[in-house]
Amino acid sequence: MQAEGELPIDVAPPVAQGGTDLDRRLVAALERAGHVVRTLLWRQAYANGLSPIQTQLLLHLVGKAQPPRVSDLAAEFDVSLATMSDALAALRRKELVRRDRDPGDRRSHIFVLTDSGARLADELAHWSDPVTGWLGAGPEADKAATLRFLLDLIGRLHDAGVLAVARTCVTCQFFVRNAHDDPARPHHCRLLDTPFGDAALRVDCAEHQPREHEPSQP
Ligand code: SF4
């Protein structure tokens, strides 16, 4: 695994380095939005005596049908095994997370929320309310188009190796883009056998299965 914060060397953007002025302003806007989101999450974390990664871990473990191992979580959060092990150890000391034997491999362990961890995660889930409150006033069509654009960007960054894990529809082997003539529901999920539109694209799907070496389609 690459070191934290270090991009892999095989990243090859389709357009010359630097991009257009619009591209650069889009990146700046994403950075500003990311800063707001991070700040809200950090505030919530520190108010509860947690680090940001501990907070994200608690939120991530909510309702997981298949509790993850430390290696799954390190890949998910793009951090080293040592960093993830430290964060999990801190949560175990606070009795918010429990370590169990992996029923599928007795040599490994899985991590699940304790009852108090689940209660705290419920409270933490409101960290994004200031942002979702503003988004709620926006036009649905704009939000759906923005979601698709961002997921396509994430899909390309994933294909390029910048992002290790992306359980989104656009990186899923069951996703068929523009399979139907219905403009409201043009896409199809072959697993759920259902048509759906941009607004229903999933960002973190439990049923996701990665595609094999097939780049995201525009
Ligand atoms: S399985 Fe999930 S991620 Fe894959 S296409 Fe269906 S809804 Fe999307």
Side-chain angles (χ1 to χ4, degrees):
M1 179 187 301
Q2 77 214 42
E4 277 176 72
E6 182 181 297
L7 293 182
I9 53 174
D10 60 347
V11 176
V15 180
Q17 298 285 342
T20 66
D21 180 53
L22 174 59
D23 297 335
R24 286 189 291 277
R25 278 182 284 128
L26 271 170
V27 171
L30 285 171
E31 196 280 329
R32 295 307 300 162
H35 174 74
V36 170
V37 168
R38 277 194 303 278
T39 301
L40 289 172
L41 183 63
W42 290 355
R43 267 188 213 153
Q44 186 79 301
Y46 296 135
N48 286 279
L50 300 169
S51 71
I53 191 170
Q54 291 167 16
T55 304
Q56 287 173 295
L57 267 171
L58 289 182
L59 293 168
H60 181 76
L61 291 174
V62 173
K64 278 276 173 279
Q66 285 189 315
R69 294 179 289 193
V70 63
S71 54
D72 301 325
L73 293 165
E76 176 79 32
F77 286 82
D78 263 334
V79 298
S80 67
L81 277 176
T83 299
M84 183 51 63
S85 297
D86 287 350
L88 287 166
L91 290 174
R92 288 176 62 211
R93 281 195 299 276
K94 294 172 185 176
E95 300 185 347
L96 298 171
V97 163
R98 197 178 70 237
R99 187 176 76 162
D100 291 344
R101 289 264 175 220
D102 183 347
D105 177 358
R106 303 297 292 170
R107 292 164 303 176
S108 301
H109 292 93
I110 54 174
F111 294 87
V112 293
L113 291 175
T114 61
D115 288 346
S116 50
R119 276 195 298 276
L120 181 54
D122 260 359
E123 292 170 26
L124 292 170
H126 295 287
W127 72 270
S128 61
D129 286 357
V131 178
T132 52
W134 283 102
L135 284 173
E140 288 300 309
D142 287 359
K143 287 188 281 188
T146 304
L147 177 63
R148 190 188 62 186
F149 182 82
L150 288 175
L151 290 185
D152 281 339
L153 176 64
I154 288 168
R156 291 190 182 111
L157 293 172
H158 178 258
D159 292 340
V162 179
L163 194 64
V165 175
R167 281 192 300 270
T168 70
C169 283
V170 305
T171 59
C172 178
Q173 62 175 260
F174 300 121
F175 180 62
V176 187
R177 187 186 296 259
N178 296 328
H180 305 285
D181 291 332
D182 180 356
R185 296 190 301 168
H187 314 307
H188 195 86
C189 171
R190 288 190 288 113
L191 181 72
L192 306 175
D193 193 21
T194 185
F196 63 102
D198 288 342
L201 286 165
R202 293 190 183 178
V203 178
D204 186 11
C205 175
E207 284 84 31
H208 174 273
Q209 290 291 330
R211 286 170 322 184
E212 290 186 6
H213 308 301
E214 179 194 339
S216 313
Q217 298 299 309

